[in-house]
Amino acid sequence: MVAEYLWLFAIAGGAFLLGCAIAYGMLTNRSRSEQDALDRKMRKLYEKPPHEASR
């Protein structure tokens, strides 16, 4: 009886952890358009002379 609950917990827990990992990956992954916008902003920031970068 206890072994059955252990297997149930292992299967359900594994599915839950896999779902959490997939959700985390989807939430932290940037789309291509977001990454392009970030790259443009970074290039623009570093093209300015150092005394203008803080403005």
Side-chain angles (χ1 to χ4, degrees), residues 25-42:
M26 290 177 70
L27 290 174
T28 58
N29 190 18
R30 295 175 191 240
S31 69
R32 188 70 202 153
S33 61
E34 289 173 328
Q35 188 65 41
D36 289 342
L38 180 63
D39 290 343
R40 281 193 305 273
K41 289 180 183 179
M42 292 299 288

Side-chain angles (χ1 to χ4, degrees), residues 4-54:
E4 292 173 7
Y5 287 117
L6 182 62
W7 275 109
L8 176 64
F9 182 72
I11 300 298
F16 177 75
L17 288 176
L18 180 61
C20 288
I22 291 171
Y24 176 76
M26 290 177 70
L27 290 174
T28 58
N29 190 18
R30 295 175 191 240
S31 69
R32 188 70 202 153
S33 61
E34 289 173 328
Q35 188 65 41
D36 289 342
L38 180 63
D39 290 343
R40 281 193 305 273
K41 289 180 183 179
M42 292 299 288
R43 278 194 299 274
K44 186 176 179 181
L45 175 67
Y46 283 107
E47 286 174 358
K48 292 183 180 180
H51 65 278
E52 292 182 12
S54 62

